[in-house]
Amino acid sequence: MLKARWGTPKQLRDLLNELVSWNSITLSEGERQFPIKLENKLRELAYFQKHPEYLTLHDTDDQRQFLTALYKHPDAQKTICLVSHFDTVNIEEYGKLKEMATEPDKLTEILKIRAAEFSADVRNDLASGEYLFGRGTMDMKMGLALHMQMLERASLENWPINLLLLTVPDEEVNSAGMRSAVPALLKLEEKHELNYILFLNSEPVFTQHGDDTHYIYSGSIGKVMPAALFYGKETHAGQPLNGMTSPYIASYLTQEMEWNSSFQETSYGETNPLPVTLQQRDLKSDYSTQTPYRSSALYNVLVMEQTAADVFDRFEQVANKAAVRLNRDYAEICRNNQVDPVGKVSVIRYEQLETYAVNKLGREFIDRVKATVHHQKEWDDREKSLRIADKLMIECQELAPAIVILLTPPYYPAVNSSDNETIENCVAFVKRIAKEKFNLKVERVHYFNGICDLSYVSYEGDSKDSVTFEANTPVWETSYSIPFEDMLRLDAPVLNIGPFGKDAHKLTERLHIKNAFEEMPVILKEMIQQLSLKNKVN
């Protein structure tokens, strides 16, 4: 029998160090090169030398690719899809240590020397020798390394179940990789006669209250990003009541949105965070004594059971409430100063604005606007969304003053499989094995609180959700899309079981060594083998 390349804790640690050394910051050249290097790494396995057709690179966008690697048992159809991402956030916070950020062993030793600069928790972890520091060690190249180990073990030990490793770019920004992977998963399912029974992610454990409890997750929290363009009336600063500033309009909606409990929900005893403003700014490009009349804001709304359509309906209600209060206060100011109002602020959905603009200017004009904005490479999808709405409002100023409400990428639908029998059995099994073998206490959380690519499988939204999102997202099918119909077909349950770590996206990102290299390999292997025994019959 062939020997495993990644079977021992040391071999697995060496694999992680190699994966981390392939610097793969989102939208970097390293991210583009990572799946190519990974494909070459996996081709070292005897299984893929014998079955090269099961190892595939797939195109996504911006010359990026995602990778699938299939272990297929000849008598099995039932398949576990192992989901991971290989991109990481930036490393600017490492400063002079940037070159060491992707060399975990060296970085860990250097940080020990500088331990006094950090908090007591970090100092204790450095002194303990139980943690490995570095960008991507926790989030989430260890998860990928574990999946590679499972794939190798299955191929060497002939596990009676199929494993499909899927690893994608761009999870940290727009999940372009996973959104592109959804239709590919359906094609692979048909081509190789697969039957997905589980989508298993291995994102790391995110502490809930600064504790050291090991959590597993039977769902993932969702994210919707409603936005607003505030369009007032320009004037000279010396005659302020001859116009209406956009910051004045924006202040009313932001006050209503910030920490608004009407967006909060409780599911399985867990509660989503309150909404918060992610960005608010003036669109005026330079200084002058003309008052600002165009501003924008982005709001972060995390969801459990609400869809984008639900959030947008509530957002419209909140905007109307803000407009009523604004118009009342503004009317009183005008009365006190004996001036005529410049108008009442109205609330306009983006789909209403686009319909109005099409009737006034023609579809060809709208398409040109979108194409022009799309080619501004320095703008991301959020900026492009706001700029499209802005350009339409410039040509439709008779609608001002107004709050134009819209949706911007990314949209992560909430997903939850807590009531699924397979998931409940897996949760119970993992808890028992972790306790028996390692005296490790494992608790289940119903919604992973870090947002992840599992949002694009096991989707349960209805047509209203997709129609509302498409109609009110200005960049829809120009630079951003979601395969809603295909997502409905990927209806297997989801589960996230990953290694313990701390401080994702921070300079002190770190991974618990024993848990990652000794405990998690056993827990994942035994859970998958348990599923394979239960699923021998197709």
Side-chain angles (χ1 to χ4, degrees), residues 79-98:
T79 306
I80 298 174
C81 184
L82 306 172
V83 181
S84 66
H85 69 87
F86 54 76
D87 64 314
T88 70
V89 295
N90 217 311
I91 56 175
E92 294 299 322
E93 69 271 25
Y94 286 88
K96 292 181 180 179
L97 297 178
K98 281 172 62 175

Side-chain angles (χ1 to χ4, degrees), residues 307-512:
T307 65
D310 297 330
V311 169
F312 200 58
D313 285 346
R314 182 164 282 117
F315 184 50
E316 183 177 35
Q317 294 169 6
V318 172
N320 278 313
K321 180 180 177 182
V324 167
R325 188 162 63 90
L326 182 159
N327 288 326
R328 183 191 63 222
D329 293 349
Y330 173 61
E332 182 177 353
I333 291 170
C334 290
R335 282 195 301 271
N336 291 341
N337 288 273
Q338 298 181 345
V339 299
D340 294 328
V342 298
K344 281 189 172 183
V345 173
S346 61
V347 175
I348 305 171
R349 284 188 172 219
Y350 173 77
E351 60 185 311
Q352 296 170 325
L353 170 60
E354 185 170 308
T355 298
Y356 183 92
V358 167
N359 291 335
K360 178 181 179 180
L361 304 163
R363 170 52 64 184
E364 187 176 331
F365 173 81
I366 309 302
D367 291 342
R368 282 202 307 272
V369 165
K370 290 186 177 183
T372 300
V373 170
H374 175 63
H375 285 102
Q376 299 296 318
K377 298 300 182 184
E378 70 275 17
W379 291 345
D380 64 16
D381 284 335
R382 287 147 293 282
E383 184 74 16
K384 289 177 181 178
S385 298
L386 294 165
R387 293 293 179 173
I388 290 170
D390 179 43
K391 288 183 181 296
L392 297 189
M393 274 300 292
I394 285 175
E395 301 300 330
C396 302
Q397 294 191 41
E398 62 272 21
L399 298 177
I403 301 171
V404 180
I405 59 171
L406 56 142
L407 291 166
T408 68
Y411 173 31
Y412 287 84
V415 61
N416 188 275
S417 299
S418 293
D419 294 328
N420 181 274
E421 183 180 359
T422 297
I423 298 305
E424 293 305 290
N425 290 337
C426 285
V427 169
F429 181 82
V430 167
K431 284 184 174 182
R432 179 172 61 82
I433 289 295
K435 184 67 175 176
E436 289 177 358
K437 291 187 175 290
F438 305 109
N439 197 30
L440 177 65
K441 183 182 179 182
V442 171
E443 291 187 8
R444 186 253 293 274
V445 171
H446 294 275
Y447 290 91
F448 177 68
N449 54 331
I451 300 176
C452 76
D453 284 332
L454 290 177
S455 283
Y456 300 104
V457 299
S458 196
Y459 173 65
E460 295 183 352
D462 55 20
S463 59
K464 181 186 177 184
D465 187 37
S466 57
V467 169
T468 299
F469 186 83
E470 293 168 16
N472 291 286
T473 303
V475 293
W476 178 257
E477 289 195 332
T478 304
S479 60
Y480 186 84
S481 62
I482 297 175
F484 287 110
E485 291 186 10
D486 286 343
M487 285 157 51
L488 285 167
R489 295 167 59 192
L490 292 175
D491 61 354
V494 304
L495 186 62
N496 192 98
I497 303 177
F500 184 85
K502 296 180 182 179
D503 290 355
H505 297 190
K506 294 184 179 182
L507 183 154
T508 50
E509 176 182 350
R510 59 200 184 274
L511 179 74
H512 192 276

Side-chain angles (χ1 to χ4, degrees), residues 167-185:
T167 190
V168 300
D170 193 54
E171 189 267 356
E172 299 290 2
V173 179
N174 279 337
S175 280
M178 190 63 189
R179 288 183 289 112
S180 297
V182 168
L185 289 175

Side-chain angles (χ1 to χ4, degrees), residues 107-141:
L107 178 68
T108 302
E109 292 306 311
I110 290 173
L111 293 183
K112 286 180 181 178
I113 298 171
R114 298 174 53 173
E117 301 174 16
F118 304 111
S119 67
D121 183 53
V122 175
R123 292 198 304 271
N124 290 337
D125 288 346
L126 282 166
S128 73
E130 295 177 356
Y131 286 84
L132 189 65
F133 288 67
R135 176 62 77 238
T137 52
M138 173 193 178
D139 186 14
M140 68 160 297
K141 289 180 178 176

